[in-house]
Amino acid sequence: MTGRTTEAVALDRVRRRVAAIGFLAVTIHGVLGLIGVSYVLLDEGRRSDAGLLTFMSGVVALVVCAATRAILGVRPFSAGWSAVALVPTVAAFVLLF
């Protein structure tokens, strides 16, 4: 019985990790897409719209981070991982504005 329980726990851990990696791989495109559209809008002279979209990329990044952590079965908020999630947005603000 203990072998089956240990296997079930290990299988659940692998299932959660695969699901989290898949979710992250798909949703990170939304964050990067918002930054890309922001770059295009900046070239068109729409600075305020570009700034708003770049800010929204940070919001989406935090939601993606929390959802990924929830899929993994850990506490959704973590200051360290939230800071890591905001790196693309901060880099976009520095490079674009």
Side-chain angles (χ1 to χ4, degrees), residues 15-94:
R15 181 188 58 80
R16 284 179 179 271
R17 287 181 181 174
V18 169
I21 290 169
F23 175 78
L24 184 62
V26 170
T27 56
I28 196 70
H29 289 87
V31 174
L32 299 177
L34 284 169
I35 292 171
V37 172
S38 159
Y39 177 74
V40 170
L41 289 177
L42 198 58
D43 281 348
E44 294 177 358
R46 296 170 62 186
R47 188 172 181 84
S48 63
D49 294 339
L52 184 61
L53 282 179
T54 305
F55 174 79
M56 283 306 298
S57 75
V59 173
V60 171
L62 289 175
V63 169
V64 167
C65 179
T68 303
R69 290 181 53 81
I71 290 170
L72 290 171
V74 294
R75 192 182 64 166
F77 179 75
S78 166
W81 284 112
S82 294
V84 170
L86 289 175
V87 167
T89 302
V90 171
F93 269 118
V94 169

